[in-house]
Amino acid sequence: MEILWVLFAVIMIGAVLGPVLLRRRGGIRQVAPGSPDAADPENYGFLRQEELDIRMPGPDADLLEVLDLVQRTQEWKAASQLLAGTETHGERRWQRVQAFAGAASLELQHRPGGVSDSPGGQWLRVWRAEAPKDAGGAAVHAEFLVQQAWRTAVQGTDEFRIILEEAKEACAQAALLSPGDPVPYIIELSIARGLAYPREEFEQLWLKILDRAPAHMGAHLAALHYWCEKWHGSRDLAYNFAEAAAARAPRGSLLAALPLFAVYEHLPEVNLVRGFYQSEIVTKAVEGALFAVHSARADDPMLAHVRHLLVFFLVHCERWGEAMSQLVHVDGHVGALPWTLTGDPAGGYAVYRALAVAGYEANGGSPATLPH
């Protein structure tokens, strides 16, 4: 995988210098800028790299409107009203809690405050002070602390542990304010990973989530991290967790895509196996994710997450037309795996998009032949 990223880095440098990808049946090569044979993502209506929104995986107009208002005015009430009107057990509430917490965390990072100015994210502090029994504010505060721990402290240090212990207490308070709400427990999954909960304790936490929202895709993605080899499980434990969830997924659920996320979490650092992306385990996981996407509701908030990961795998599998079909649905928003794990989500996404376009055109595709 390391070698692959080096190759992609070369492609990105090439994109900066000017060469673009060529439509050519049977292969892909670079040509000079302005060539009539150059593949151009903009021909497909895709946004320019600098226009891509890195905050969310897909559109949420209500959230963006409220986020803009809160950050512009530093007033919290619109955020509280939005969360109060969002279904408690749904995926969207969890995403919105993450978004508000992330906005406050990034504000604080960019404006830590000083003698002459107040720190960023002050609206969240005021929210908690003025409405201590607001369940939405309590959940956002708990998630804010989790994000602060992972963003600003070094894992394993006393500072990291202290912040996560504070976040754990905040989760308990949020849960008391909204007893049937799975979100405080979903937030705690990241705490469990950071504090290395024993498996018995983790499984007790997981049962609380299953009691409240058994098919919650966001919760399953958060829990999957715990079972991964790089944290507190193994490849087999992660695969077993993902495959069991997919097997019991109700009709129309995106849980059938969970094995693809498990495969992604265990990609080899250096791929020495010829045809790895054509292997049975990858093919089976991709097909499961495609089935989930085709079966899901068009307005499922987690749908964009699955589509973004499919773009990554379908490009590696050289399934260009299928990759393009996913890009049509997600282009414009890139706040999802795998792009968010890089320092430049928009740039990483744009590389894969360019490869998909080039591969599509190299095999006879064109804007006129791409279904929308």
Side-chain angles (χ1 to χ4, degrees), residues 105-121:
S105 180
L106 288 173
E107 278 187 40
L108 181 59
Q109 180 180 333
H110 295 148
R111 196 174 72 249
V115 176
S116 60
D117 63 333
S118 60

Side-chain angles (χ1 to χ4, degrees), residues 18-23 29-41 43-44 357-358 361:
V20 288
L21 295 167
L22 169 69
R23 302 186 302 264
R29 63 181 176 83
Q30 291 184 320
V31 297
S35 165
D37 291 320
D40 186 352
N43 291 338
Y44 295 83
V357 169
E361 296 190 354

Side-chain angles (χ1 to χ4, degrees), residues 174 187 212 283 343:
I187 295 170
R212 290 162 175 80
T283 300

Side-chain angles (χ1 to χ4, degrees), residues 207-222:
L207 287 175
K208 292 177 182 178
I209 295 171
L210 291 182
D211 286 344
R212 290 162 175 80
H216 199 290
M217 180 68 173
H220 280 79
L221 288 175

